[in-house]
Structure formats: C-alpha cells, structure tokens
Amino acid sequence: SPVWKAAIENYDLIDMIGEGSYGEVCEGKCKVTGERVAIKYVKNIYENEYDCVKILREVQILRKLSAIP
C-alpha cells in the first residue's frame, strides 16, 4: 500500500514489537529526526465495516495519547 511504502521510505524499521488480529506493530526510527515510533500495519482494513470502525477508534485514541507529554 502507498502508506506502508511511505513508512518504509521515511523510517528505519528496527524490530517487530507484536502481532495481533488486525496486523503487526514494528518499532521504527525516523530517518530525518531520529525519533523512535511504533508503526502499525493493518491487514485488510476495509474488509469488514465493524473492524474498520474499531481500527479507526484505536487510531483516534492513539493520536490523543501521543499529544500527552
């Protein structure tokens, strides 16, 4: 996918953190800033509307948490 390709171009993938029902989480490091991040690759995101809503909700929560110092 274009998003995953952009992640690979902009981040060094360091290690696989975990795998779950919806995808995989890798530890990454930004090539420009050196910031360490978690990158979640979600498989078949549009396959099921219910799962899509749950994944969107998770992303919204993670964005709010990342704003907290």
Side-chain angles (χ1 to χ4, degrees):
S1 82
V3 174
W4 188 243
K5 184 178 178 184
I8 292 171
E9 289 175 357
N10 297 313
Y11 294 88
D12 291 321
L13 301 180
I14 298 170
D15 194 16
M16 174 72 76
I17 296 173
E19 188 172 351
S21 303
Y22 297 110
E24 303 167 342
V25 179
C26 296
E27 178 183 359
K29 183 176 174 185
C30 179
K31 291 180 180 179
V32 176
T33 65
E35 179 183 17
R36 296 175 79 100
V37 297
I39 301 170
K40 185 168 190 169
Y41 175 71
V42 181
K43 303 173 190 174
N44 306 319
I45 189 168
Y46 300 110
E47 210 171 77
N48 179 312
E49 184 178 346
Y50 176 75
D51 290 341
C52 196
V53 170
K54 286 176 61 176
I55 293 165
L56 177 60
R57 192 173 298 133
E58 178 183 341
V59 169
Q60 291 171 331
I61 291 168
L62 291 171
R63 282 186 176 166
K64 287 181 181 181
L65 289 174
S66 69
I68 299 171

